[in-house]
Amino acid sequence: MNAHAAVNNHTPGDAANPQGDGSAMQTEKSETALDGAALHQALAIATAEEREDIMRETVRTQLADILAPTVVEDDSNFLENGLTSLTALELTRNLMTLTDVEIPLVAILEYPTPAQLGHYLAEAYDAVNSGDGATA
């Protein structure tokens, strides 16, 4: 199992699996997904390119959990997928919990797709973990 599958419980490029109304399964999946230990382990051994892929998949997974049963593609716009101000707060909170990177809410508008936000998060994660004290 690669780092993507270990962290996000599916392989890269796969759409999130909609589960009926998603209520019981989504709660269990969300609690598991918010354990950042596996993510930090994967990021620690990943190359810069792999970190960006992992972050993109993490964004997609979190967004799919929040907007279930919406299928989220790498270049799909958050707002066009139905992200609201409330769900944007939930998304940033979940991502901050997982990555330990401070994410301003405006980042959702500045980087409006999983690919763009994943790139931003990978760079911010590198800056925070490089020891120079920079924050996102």
Side-chain angles (χ1 to χ4, degrees):
M1 176 180 279
N2 67 24
H4 296 292
V7 172
N8 296 304
N9 298 322
H10 64 85
T11 56
D14 285 351
N17 289 334
Q19 310 265 334
D21 71 357
S23 56
M25 189 61 160
Q26 183 175 342
T27 302
E28 180 181 319
K29 208 164 84 174
S30 296
E31 289 172 5
T32 301
L34 290 179
D35 176 14
L39 177 64
H40 286 283
Q41 289 174 347
L43 291 169
I45 61 172
T47 65
E49 184 177 310
E50 290 169 335
R51 274 192 295 278
E52 187 171 332
D53 290 343
I54 291 167
M55 289 296 201
R56 182 190 70 244
E57 289 300 316
T58 301
V59 170
R60 284 183 57 199
T61 300
Q62 291 303 310
L63 187 61
D65 281 352
I66 292 167
L67 299 178
T70 301
V71 175
V72 180
E73 300 296 330
D74 290 344
D75 293 321
S76 60
N77 184 287
F78 297 139
L79 299 176
E80 291 172 3
N81 277 322
L83 195 72
T84 64
S85 57
L86 184 59
T87 54
L89 284 170
E90 184 178 356
L91 177 62
T92 56
R93 185 189 70 230
N94 289 356
L95 292 171
M96 287 189 291
T97 298
L98 286 169
T99 64
D100 293 330
V101 173
E102 190 69 29
I103 305 166
L105 188 55
V106 71
I108 300 295
L109 297 174
E110 292 175 352
Y111 308 99
T113 69
Q116 291 172 340
L117 188 58
H119 178 78
Y120 167 80
L121 287 174
E123 288 183 346
Y125 181 86
D126 288 344
V128 167
N129 290 291
S130 68
D132 65 6
T135 58

